[in-house]
Amino acid sequence: VRVAAVFGLYLVLAAVLILHQRGRVVPDGFIDELTYGRVAQNLAAGDGFTYQGLSPGYRSLLPYAIAPAWALFSGSTAYHAALVVNAALMNLVVFPAYAIARRVAPFGWFLDDGHHEERFKSWDEPVDKLMERAGNREIVRKEIDALPEGYRTVLVLRDIEGLDTEETAKVLGLSVNATKIRLHRARQALRTLLAPHFRSAVS
Amino acid sequence: MKCRELAEFLNDYVSGELPAESRAHFEFHLSKCKNCHEYLVQYEMTIKAGKIACDEMSDEMGPMPEELVKAVLLARIKT
């Protein structure tokens, strides 16, 4: 109850402050701290995985959350104070979705030098051998079902029903290029979901 | 070419649509980077696994919904 009360007071204070400081309380740099939160929001909204854009809801929440830090401090101190608030917000509000996003994030993550963060461990057996077992085929179907609808649809039409890219694009009402990108993301997402099932350990 | 760029071109590479010059860069990177090679192998295995697993399901489920069939046929006619 105390935590909720303090958090509530914090939000009220933020709401008051932001009325006076609107437009200058959110340095754009903070947005870069929220990659996983952004992913989580997009997945939750059914928009699939994208790096582009924050959801309106989170964009409107963030200024209120960090406004007190920006008002009480100045310069780099305010920046660091706001980062702490930002981190707290991530943990309290976004972390559950963040954890899901970490699991579902289809690209894999990259280091600053452009290389993969993850070392990919081979799957235990060739795919034909894996798919001989009914349990494994069931796993694949379950993970396809777990994909966001947009990904699942394009994957089924293209890879399973065998439509070509142009046909798939027309069925979905998308451009050919958008269809190719969405299919690529869907395959990457499915690979990420399948990998833990078909390899002995993650290195 | 870095791993990040290679990941973005996988789709075109697998479907044979990557231009010759990009393909050469792509394959050079693959020859040097075991991790990307493994990623490509898994990407292709994923496509095949989905096909095998769902072919069985579509056999059991019977025909596709009529609306989807119409949409697919319409798309094919327009193509």
Side-chain angles (χ1 to χ4, degrees), chain A residues 110 113-115 118 120-123 128 137 141 159-160 166-167 180 184-185 187-188 191, chain B residues 2-4 7-8 11-12 17 35 38-39 42-43 45-46 48 51 53 56 64 76 79:
Chain A
F110 295 93
D113 64 4
H115 292 288
E118 180 185 354
F120 299 110
K121 188 170 174 59
S122 303
W123 291 7
D128 291 321
R137 296 196 296 273
R141 290 196 290 268
D159 286 348
I160 296 163
E166 288 189 359
E167 290 169 341
K180 286 167 72 172
H184 184 41
R185 302 289 182 245
R187 288 169 171 173
Q188 289 179 302
R191 189 214 66 83
Chain B
K2 298 283 177 61
C3 304
R4 187 196 298 268
E8 291 303 307
N11 188 26
D12 287 340
E17 296 173 33
N35 207 35
E38 181 56 40
Y39 190 81
Q42 291 185 18
Y43 186 88
M45 288 173 83
T46 298
K48 196 166 182 181
K51 175 78 177 156
E56 176 189 66
M64 292 166 67
R76 286 198 163 147
T79 305

Side-chain angles (χ1 to χ4, degrees), chain A residues 129-145:
Chain A
K129 194 84 175 169
L130 285 169
M131 291 301 105
E132 283 177 6
R133 291 193 283 283
N136 285 341
R137 296 196 296 273
E138 182 61 34
I139 285 170
V140 174
R141 290 196 290 268
K142 190 189 75 168
E143 296 297 10
I144 289 174
D145 282 343

Side-chain angles (χ1 to χ4, degrees), chain A residues 18-19 53 69 78 99 150 162 166 168 171 186:
Chain A
I18 202 167
L19 292 175
E166 288 189 359
T168 306
V171 170

